[in-house]
Each structure stands twice: as structure tokens, then as C-alpha cells.
Amino acid sequence: MQLLIIGGSDAGISAALRAREVDPSAEVTVLLDDDFTNYSICGLPFYLSGETPDWHSLAHRTEFEGIAIRRGHRATRIHTAAWTVEVQSDRVGACSFHYDKLLIGTGAGPVRPHVQGCGLPGVFPLHTMKDSFAVSEYLEKVKPGRAVIVGAGYIGLEMADALTHRGIEVTIASRTPTVLATVDQEFGSLVRAELEHHDVKVETGVEVHRIEQAGDHLHVVGSNGFEQECEMVLITVGVKPHSELGVTAGLKTGTKGALLTNRKMETEDPHIYVAGDCGETWHRILSRYTYLPLGTTAHRQGRTAGENAVGGNREFSGSLGTQVVKIFDLVIARTGLRHDEALAESFRPFTVESTVNDHKAYYPGASPLTIRVTGDFATGRLLGAQVLGRWGAEISKRLDIFATGLFHEMSVEQLSDLDLSYTPPLSSPWDPVQMAAQQWSRSLGKSKTEAIKAGHE
Amino acid sequence: MQLLIIGGSDAGISAALRAREVDPSAEVTVLLDDDFTNYSICGLPFYLSGETPDWHSLAHRTEFEGIAIRRGHRATRIHTAAWTVEVQSDRVGACSFHYDKLLIGTGAGPVRPHVQGCGLPGVFPLHTMKDSFAVSEYLEKVKPGRAVIVGAGYIGLEMADALTHRGIEVTIASRTPTVLATVDQEFGSLVRAELEHHDVKVETGVEVHRIEQAGDHLHVVGSNGFEQECEMVLITVGVKPHSELGVTAGLKTGTKGALLTNRKMETEDPHIYVAGDCGETWHRILSRYTYLPLGTTAHRQGRTAGENAVGGNREFSGSLGTQVVKIFDLVIARTGLRHDEALAESFRPFTVESTVNDHKAYYPGASPLTIRVTGDFATGRLLGAQVLGRWGAEISKRLDIFATGLFHEMSVEQLSDLDLSYTPPLSSPWDPVQMAAQQWSRSLGKSKTEAIKAGHE
């Protein structure tokens, strides 16, 4: 059994490892278009901040026993009838690889916005190892004093932190009304305050139109009178799926042009699987497919595809959109649906924000957690949660209690039935997760009572 | 509706608050035999270490709106036919309280071991606020240089930390083969090493026989040649239920003399509920009652009883034995069944220990977590988990992912289906919980293959 995998990042390598684990006799080959096998893209901001001095350490894995890794092998065409993939390689020229099963794990690439001057020196996307080397070289050589970051998503905010860490003055320009549109605006405002506290200039509601060379610096111009001089611009406005190879092989696409699969990661071609950022994602709460490119999802989809490619019968359990980011000293985590996301679906979201200490106040070092719980007004079902607080307050794994609850379709009320761990330096007899859930229930009860009263008057 | 509650600690106060929340018209009275309403017993070691300077801050709550709190009111007898409770009070003398519903939440008290000299000055139990005041006064006045702690459970080890924090030389004497018998011995050994690293002397397999006054110090003598001079002895060898009041009211007892209830916290007397450490606990994995006194459980049982006492219909969701403790810089957490506990039941436990970093090694400050996963060899069901590592590595709430998985009867394999949060400073694309689960599955596969081979030879 020959399993050929196009792409050697999270999805591709997870699939390769799982396939070998399930069927040690499988011949697994991974084609990489660059030289970087399963590097952590999420780690690039820390490499560029200087916190991770050696980029080699960004490799998620360095052992690929039993897997044939072909670096610098760019797949150019899939021949579905012949079960072969055409490959272009600088080292060995054009060649062809046979497959019994093929996995497309080509990932995603940065969206190029309609901004004039994107090609100027000093203007960079940031998605690949190669991008990061270019940025790193520029930082070392030019030593920019000011940077503009276009976009206020995860990577943009992490880079604002990273460049500030290097002593660079940072301005963020974002189209969105606040930063970090993946959480409720109330949280976005708190994140913005943290950025500003660290002297990052935040300009929201700004559409960047053009970047001009002006002597030894760059001049960035946007809507609402936005103008900023700087020596460096980072464009971080999201990603789009690398689905071209699949499309030319006749595979169908859906949301944002991502390749379609079923929950077994199979395509309409019985020999081809798709996993990771080039394909759609089954959303566990929405019970439908969407586009939600994340490294964690790519790992899980890859593992599912790898198992099924060698004869397994596993279904991808779906995504909840669970994410966490650390910006300076603040950690912000989310899972499930935001209030507005739930509203756009067939839910009737009810959201309550609580602030509770991460552990008993009598033990030194307690810090407040702000927790937003979104549940359905009618059914009481938990729909999503967001947690924000200081780094070190077990925010990420606390959020995961909500994520595990969502996985099992728990009601908000049922969270108080969980037997969670407590010691005064680390929690309270009711964990903050449960206190927030109880606050949600109390607010719901009050709101329902008021609704009934209003109806009777 | 008059709800009378005997006991104003975790169970009693949780019940009172929940009853008022569900039925604001309920008249709720709480009888306390001392003056300390819902103080955190778990906080006593931190008060005695000096980390929590003001004991007043140990109160879990200070607001009891709408609840009549009767301090210094000791319930002496329940008249089940008359629906009254006889009370003795230093302030108002003997009196009687009527109830429509009664909750017994009398808690537990320390076990007094068969040790001669337990009554000597300088020898203390540690369970109540009053105990802690006596210890505190002794610490201030006598300024002991050496202490012996009899027992190596949670409170004993926390007190070893606390007294070391005060500059006292500590010796632990325990009957058990290692410390912290609530986790597997492999973890007990690691905890012992942490204690010894902080100059705590640990003597295991020792039965303390007697304590003698010898001039200005105490002489502690035990089995296996144990002899230790000191100025202070703490006896922390576990607790037993305060079930006497219930027994004289005709209620039945079970494990360790704890009062029997059903999952609604009802007793055989339709007017009497029981919650907290004076009663048994329904164990969610064992599907039967056991004795497992914990503050978290008392809170949840109390909430259930309070809701049901005013007409609710809630079932206690059960205990998983989830616990966490911080000893010096080490955090140790457990949930579900230990290997030996599972073996004693109808399970076929298979336990695998893994060591993985809490977050990506390329981001500064990564530290190893040791994770023990116990699952059923035949069914793959998750039975329990234990996590040990450095304080700050999100151990407690990571353990809670296992606890939430156990709550939902997940298989070990299914843990990899969870959508958990990841950012390099806080986790890995597969959370350590999932990496440990995958290691368990791999070890199981290997073990099954070997078993088959052995069978065929």
C-alpha cells in the first residue's frame, strides 16, 4: 500500500505518522515543496521576537521513522486516472510518484489585500518559514524603528507583542471595529487596552490603501485619514486555502474555495483524502462544514485521514473553534460560538460576563478572570465560552473544560455537576468555570422572570 | 417552608444559598456549633504558614442574605416525630427549632489514633478553626524549632510545607509505604523527593506508638526504631464522619459510619436530607456509594440537597475523587480510579506513564509534566488519571480535562477527538493530555500484540 502525501506540515505529517502506526507495512511518502518538515508556524512570532533564538527548535518533530520525506518536491499535477502525481524538483528535475491513496495537505497561504505597494522592500507577509527568514534578515540588517501591522488577528497581535519585545514602535491598522474579531467586542476592547498599555498604537476601522517609499522610510496611507511612517510593514489579514492542486484534479470546493470532504476526510475520488487548511472543517456545534484553518484541527484531521487511508474507519470529531492567544501578559481563549455567531444561526444566544478570581483570594497571587458564557436562552445548552486574564492563571486549560463540555453538548447548568480539582492556590471549591456557569443561570432566571412580567403587563 | 440546616460549613451553606435561590420565599436557618460560618478548612495550612496573615480572609463567603445564621448553636437531638431540633447555646441556653425539612451537614472530625500522649501540650489535631488558633498560638509563643507530623495525606504534607516555610525542621512519620497514598506509589516517591529536597525528613512504614514529655521537648516513638525529638506534634491521620446526630435520629449508616442517602441526598426520613462529610458519596465510576470527604463534593451535595429540600428534583452527579495539592513547588492532581483501586473493582486496569512538556520547548519556561493514564485493557474506557509537575504548568485544570472526560465515560482514545486550546507558550497542538492518551493507546496495542504472540507460542 503506497500512501502519498502532498504537504509536510501539520496535516501531512500527522497523517503519515498515524498511517504508519496503524499499518506498519504501509509505504508512506511525503512531498514537501520546501525544506521545512512540520515546522511550527505558530512559533514564528516567538522566533522573530528573539524569545526562540534558534529557528531549528520550531520543528514540531524531527523523527520520521519509516516515512520517506521528499524535501523540495513541488507537486504540480495529480493524474487521477493513472494514480500518479507529477512533481517538480530543483534537485532531481521532473518526476512522477505513484499512489494507492493520496492525501492533499497543501495548507493555506496569506491573503494578499488590495494594497498598493505590497511589493516594496520592507513589506512582508508572514506565513512560512521562508517569510520569517526574510523578516528576520530585514530586522537584523535594517533595524527598523517603527512598524505597521495591517490586520489585528492572532498573528498580527502576536507580532505586535514580538516587535515591541525587540524595541520597535508598533502601529496596528485594522478594518475591524476592535482587535481580535474572533472574540466578542467586549474582550477585543480589553485586548486593545493591553496593547496600548504596552505603547502599541491601535487604529481600528481603517482600510489600508497604499504603501509608498518615502526616502528611507515607508509611508502607509489608509481610510479615515490614517497615515503612518515606518520602516517595515507586516501584512497579516488572514489566509486562504491552497486548493488549486485539488481543483485541477477535479475535486469540488466550498466555503472560501476550500476542498470538500466528508467526516472521514474522503473526497469524491475514492483514492484521494484531504486534511488541514486546504479543506473545509466539520463544525461540531453547527453540524455543517465551514472554513476554520487551525493547526490543532489540521493535526486531528490529518490523524483521521492517515488512519482511514490505510483501511481505518474513523470520523473527524469536528471543530469547536477552540483557540487561545497570549498577548503580552494577557491570555485570551475562546471555544464554541460567539454571541453574534450563535445569533446568525438557529440559536437564541444569551451571554453573561462574570469576573472571578482564578484562586482563593486569601492565597497570594490571585488574579481576576473575565469569563463570558454563551448559552441558548430556550434550551439552556452551552454554545460557547471566552476567558480572559493574566498569563499563569490556568486560562487555557480552564477554557478546555468548557470545550470538553461543548464536545458533549452539556447544558450550562450541568457544568456545576462536574467534579473538578481544587486547592486554594489553584482554584475555588466551585471552579471559576462553574461560578460563571451559575452566574449565567441566575441571569437567565432573572431575564425569564422579567420577560414573563413584561408579557403580563 | 422552613428549612433548618445543622452545620454551617461547605454543605450547609451551599444548601442554604441554593434553597434561597430556587425558592426566595423559603425560611432558611443555619445552626453553627461554633462562630465560623463557611470558613475554608483547606486554607488552614496557608494561615499557619503565614502566607495568609489574616484568618478572617479564610471565609468562603461573608454575605448570607435572607439566611438566618445562628452561631454557637449546638444541635443536640433531632425529634423526627415532632419535626424539631433541640439546641444548646451558651448565649440563649437550651432551645428548640422547628423544621419542615432538615439538612444534616455536620461534617467530619479528625481520627484520633491509638497514640499515647496525644493530650500533651504541643500535640495538636488540625481540622477546625479552633484547632488552627491553638496551633497558631503555640507557634507564636513556644516558637518550636522541630515538628513531627503524623500522617502523610494532603493536610500532613501541606503542613510540612507550611511549617518549613516558617523555618521549622519537619519530620513526617507515616504508616504508608510512601507519602500521599491517594496517588500511585510512583507519584508518591516523586512527592517524597520534593519534600526531602526541601529538607523535610520523611519516615514511612512507621506506626507512631507514643509521645512523651522529655524536659522542654517532646519525644516521639514509633515502630521500626522511629524516635524523634521535637517541640510540636501534628496528628493528621484522616477524618471520620460526624454522624452521631443522624444515628440517634434513627438514620442508617454505611461505609466508615457515614450516613446513608440516595442521589437526591434524601434519607429514609422524608423530611431529612444529608450532605457533605457526614454522609456517604455516590461514586460516578464505581456506580455505588463510598466515603470520600472533600470540600468540592460537600459543595455539590449541599447544592443538590438545598434545591431538593425546597421542591427540586436534582440528582447528585457523583464524585470522581478529583483532587489536587500543591507541595512546595510541585502540583499533584488525580481523578478517577488509581491502578490499584481499579484492580480491586471489576476493571482490568492498564496504566501508562508519559512525560511531556507543558508547552512547546522552543518557548521559554517549558517544564515536564508526568502523566499517568489508567484505562481498561478490555474496553479502552478511561478510568483515571494523575498529573504531576511544577506549579504554574496548568496541571490542575489539565487534570480537569480528564475529569470532564471521565464524567462522560470517554475512552482514552476519544480524548484525541477533543478540540483543545493551543498556543506555543501554553500547550502543544496535541495537548499533553492527548499525548499521554495516545501513548497509552500505543502501549496498549503493543501489549495486546505481545499477549497474542505469547498465547500462540
Side-chain angles (χ1 to χ4, degrees):
Chain A
M1 215 300 284
Q2 295 193 318
L3 170 61
L4 184 64
I5 296 172
I6 307 177
S9 192
D10 295 346
I13 296 297
S14 294
L17 293 168
R18 183 59 175 168
R20 288 284 303 177
E21 198 170 88
V22 174
D23 178 5
S25 74
E27 292 174 37
V28 182
T29 303
V30 178
L31 305 174
L32 267 85
D33 67 354
D34 63 15
D35 287 338
F36 307 104
T37 323
N38 201 200
Y39 274 71
S40 172
I41 299 305
C42 299
L44 299 184
F46 309 108
Y47 164 52
L48 294 171
S49 73
E51 290 159 290
T52 302
D54 180 4
W55 62 263
H56 293 92
S57 68
L58 292 180
H60 275 315
R61 298 170 186 86
T62 50
E63 295 283 331
F64 304 99
E65 207 191 310
I67 299 164
I69 307 274
R70 305 289 181 187
R71 296 185 178 80
H73 278 56
R74 194 163 60 83
T76 53
R77 202 185 160 93
I78 300 165
H79 295 281
T80 54
W83 301 359
T84 57
V85 173
E86 264 178 48
V87 167
Q88 198 52 255
S89 159
D90 289 346
R91 289 160 215 182
V92 296
C95 53
S96 177
F97 283 77
H98 167 76
Y99 64 80
D100 296 312
K101 299 283 181 178
L102 176 70
L103 173 69
I104 303 178
T106 42
V111 168
R112 303 268 172 175
H114 297 291
V115 176
Q116 286 177 37
C118 263
L120 286 172
V123 182
F124 301 94
L126 183 58
H127 191 72
T128 63
M129 288 305 292
K130 211 175 140 193
D131 295 338
S132 77
F133 294 143
V135 173
S136 178
E137 196 185 339
Y138 187 83
L139 288 169
E140 293 296 332
K141 278 196 184 159
V142 177
K143 298 194 193 305
R146 297 165 299 179
V148 169
I149 296 172
V150 182
Y154 284 78
I155 194 98
L157 300 191
E158 285 179 327
M159 281 309 299
D161 179 337
L163 296 180
T164 302
H165 193 87
R166 288 185 81 110
I168 298 171
E169 279 178 37
V170 177
T171 301
I172 293 174
S174 175
R175 290 195 304 191
T176 50
T178 182
V179 300
L180 207 57
T182 45
V183 293
D184 286 342
Q185 285 204 19
E186 289 82 353
F187 272 19
S189 304
L190 295 172
V191 177
R192 180 186 187 137
E194 176 78 2
L195 289 160
E196 290 173 343
H197 176 71
H198 288 270
D199 298 323
V200 173
K201 218 163 99 185
V202 180
E203 302 282 354
T204 49
V206 167
E207 189 87 44
V208 170
H209 296 315
R210 62 178 192 277
I211 306 163
E212 298 158 350
Q213 188 76 47
D216 61 352
H217 62 261
L218 296 163
H219 187 68
V220 185
V221 180
S223 63
N224 283 320
F226 178 81
E227 289 196 47
Q228 179 66 43
E229 294 190 345
C230 63
E231 289 75 37
M232 179 178 171
V233 179
L234 282 181
I235 311 275
T236 61
V237 294
V239 297
K240 59 180 180 194
H242 277 323
S243 50
E244 305 80 6
L245 208 58
V247 169
T248 56
L251 299 183
K252 289 188 182 147
T253 60
T255 324
K256 297 198 182 180
L259 297 169
L260 299 188
T261 68
N262 62 16
R263 286 182 63 190
K264 292 184 182 168
M265 311 318 295
E266 296 166 340
T267 64
E268 291 201 339
D269 183 319
H271 296 271
I272 305 183
Y273 294 78
V274 165
D277 294 358
C278 61
E280 283 195 340
T281 302
W282 191 72
H283 196 290
R284 197 171 172 91
I285 304 175
L286 302 180
S287 289
R288 62 169 165 80
Y289 293 86
T290 180
Y291 187 61
L292 204 46
L294 288 166
T296 44
T297 306
H299 272 83
R300 291 192 295 118
Q301 288 184 338
R303 189 171 194 260
T304 305
E307 182 165 335
N308 292 341
V310 295
N313 188 29
R314 177 184 281 261
E315 282 205 331
F316 172 58
S317 59
S319 172
L320 300 166
T322 311
Q323 288 170 283
V324 63
V325 65
K326 172 187 170 291
I327 309 292
F328 294 106
D329 198 32
L330 207 61
V331 173
I332 312 100
R334 63 152 284 178
T335 186
L337 304 179
R338 284 193 312 269
H339 188 90
D340 63 337
E341 287 175 320
L343 206 57
E345 304 286 335
S346 57
F347 298 106
R348 198 174 156 197
F350 183 73
T351 300
V352 175
E353 183 176 306
S354 315
T355 300
V356 278
N357 280 327
D358 71 317
H359 65 255
K360 294 305 296 181
Y362 62 72
Y363 188 85
S367 76
L369 303 175
T370 309
I371 303 180
R372 291 178 69 81
V373 174
T374 299
D376 192 77
F377 189 90
T379 65
R381 178 181 168 184
L382 176 67
L383 296 175
Q386 298 168 47
V387 187
L388 177 149
R390 293 288 127 189
W391 187 31
E394 305 212 10
I395 289 162
S396 174
K397 298 304 124 185
R398 226 159 218 140
L399 189 276
D400 287 349
I401 300 171
F402 283 116
T404 307
L406 278 171
F407 183 94
H408 291 286
E409 297 191 22
M410 291 180 87
S411 68
V412 176
E413 178 60 30
Q414 218 188 347
L415 290 170
S416 293
D417 286 340
L418 293 174
D419 187 12
L420 304 177
S421 60
Y422 159 58
T423 184
L426 291 166
S427 187
S428 289
W430 294 113
D431 189 77
V433 162
Q434 296 173 313
M435 286 194 265
Q438 289 170 18
Q439 188 55 49
W440 185 91
S441 293
R442 275 191 291 269
S443 299
L444 180 77
K446 216 173 150 187
S447 181
K448 283 192 169 171
T449 307
E450 282 164 11
I452 290 164
K453 273 187 195 162
H456 283 183
E457 274 164 14
Chain B
M1 215 300 285
Q2 296 193 318
L3 170 60
L4 184 63
I5 297 172
I6 307 176
S9 193
D10 296 345
I13 296 297
S14 294
L17 292 168
R18 184 59 175 168
R20 289 283 304 176
E21 199 171 88
V22 173
D23 179 5
S25 74
E27 291 174 39
V28 181
T29 303
V30 178
L31 305 174
L32 267 84
D33 66 353
D34 62 16
D35 288 338
F36 307 104
T37 323
N38 201 199
Y39 274 72
S40 173
I41 299 305
C42 299
L44 298 184
F46 309 107
Y47 164 52
L48 294 172
S49 73
E51 290 159 290
T52 302
D54 180 4
W55 61 264
H56 293 91
S57 68
L58 292 180
H60 276 313
R61 299 169 186 85
T62 50
E63 296 283 331
F64 304 98
E65 206 191 310
I67 299 164
I69 307 274
R70 305 290 181 186
R71 296 185 178 80
H73 279 56
R74 194 163 61 83
T76 53
R77 202 186 159 93
I78 300 165
H79 295 280
T80 55
W83 302 359
T84 57
V85 173
E86 263 178 51
V87 166
Q88 198 53 252
S89 159
D90 288 346
R91 291 160 215 181
V92 296
C95 54
S96 177
F97 284 77
H98 167 77
Y99 64 81
D100 295 313
K101 299 283 181 177
L102 177 70
L103 173 68
I104 303 178
T106 41
V111 168
R112 304 268 172 175
H114 297 291
V115 176
Q116 286 177 37
C118 264
L120 286 172
V123 182
F124 301 94
L126 184 58
H127 190 73
T128 64
M129 289 304 291
K130 212 177 140 194
D131 294 338
S132 77
F133 294 143
V135 173
S136 178
E137 196 186 338
Y138 188 82
L139 288 169
E140 292 297 331
K141 279 197 184 159
V142 177
K143 298 194 191 305
R146 297 165 299 179
V148 169
I149 296 172
V150 182
Y154 284 79
I155 195 95
L157 300 191
E158 286 179 326
M159 281 308 301
D161 179 338
L163 296 180
T164 302
H165 192 87
R166 290 184 81 112
I168 297 171
E169 279 177 38
V170 176
T171 301
I172 292 174
S174 175
R175 288 197 303 191
T176 51
T178 182
V179 299
L180 208 57
T182 46
V183 293
D184 286 342
Q185 285 205 19
E186 289 81 353
F187 272 19
S189 303
L190 296 171
V191 177
R192 180 187 188 137
E194 176 78 3
L195 288 160
E196 289 173 343
H197 176 71
H198 288 269
D199 298 324
V200 173
K201 219 163 101 184
V202 180
E203 302 283 353
T204 49
V206 167
E207 189 88 44
V208 171
H209 296 315
R210 63 177 191 278
I211 306 163
E212 298 158 351
Q213 188 77 47
D216 60 352
H217 62 261
L218 297 162
H219 188 68
V220 185
V221 181
S223 63
N224 282 319
F226 177 82
E227 289 197 47
Q228 179 65 44
E229 294 190 345
C230 63
E231 289 76 37
M232 179 178 171
V233 178
L234 282 181
I235 310 275
T236 62
V237 294
V239 298
K240 59 181 179 194
H242 277 323
S243 50
E244 304 79 6
L245 207 57
V247 170
T248 55
L251 300 182
K252 290 187 182 149
T253 59
T255 324
K256 296 196 182 181
L259 297 168
L260 298 189
T261 68
N262 62 17
R263 286 182 62 191
K264 293 184 181 169
M265 312 316 297
E266 295 165 340
T267 63
E268 291 201 338
D269 183 319
H271 297 271
I272 305 183
Y273 295 78
V274 165
D277 295 357
C278 60
E280 283 195 340
T281 302
W282 190 73
H283 196 290
R284 197 171 171 92
I285 304 175
L286 301 180
S287 289
R288 62 169 164 79
Y289 293 86
T290 178
Y291 187 61
L292 204 49
L294 287 165
T296 45
T297 305
H299 272 83
R300 291 193 293 118
Q301 288 184 339
R303 190 171 192 259
T304 305
E307 182 166 335
N308 292 341
V310 295
N313 188 28
R314 179 184 280 262
E315 282 205 331
F316 172 58
S317 58
S319 173
L320 300 165
T322 310
Q323 288 169 284
V324 61
V325 65
K326 171 186 171 293
I327 307 294
F328 294 107
D329 198 32
L330 208 61
V331 173
I332 311 101
R334 63 152 283 178
T335 186
L337 304 179
R338 284 192 313 268
H339 189 90
D340 63 336
E341 286 174 320
L343 205 59
E345 304 286 335
S346 57
F347 298 106
R348 197 174 157 196
F350 183 73
T351 299
V352 175
E353 183 176 306
S354 314
T355 301
V356 279
N357 279 328
D358 70 318
H359 66 254
K360 294 303 299 182
Y362 62 73
Y363 188 85
S367 77
L369 303 175
T370 308
I371 303 180
R372 291 177 68 81
V373 174
T374 298
D376 191 78
F377 189 91
T379 66
R381 179 180 169 186
L382 176 67
L383 297 175
Q386 298 168 48
V387 187
L388 176 149
R390 293 288 127 191
W391 188 31
E394 304 213 10
I395 288 162
S396 174
K397 298 304 124 184
R398 224 159 220 141
L399 189 275
D400 286 349
I401 301 171
F402 283 116
T404 308
L406 277 172
F407 183 93
H408 290 286
E409 297 191 23
M410 290 180 87
S411 68
V412 177
E413 179 59 30
Q414 218 188 347
L415 290 170
S416 293
D417 286 341
L418 293 174
D419 187 11
L420 304 178
S421 61
Y422 159 58
T423 183
L426 292 166
S427 186
S428 289
W430 293 113
D431 188 78
V433 163
Q434 296 173 313
M435 287 195 265
Q438 290 171 17
Q439 188 56 49
W440 184 91
S441 293
R442 275 191 291 271
S443 299
L444 181 77
K446 215 173 150 185
S447 181
K448 283 192 170 171
T449 308
E450 282 164 11
I452 290 164
K453 273 188 195 164
H456 283 183
E457 274 163 15

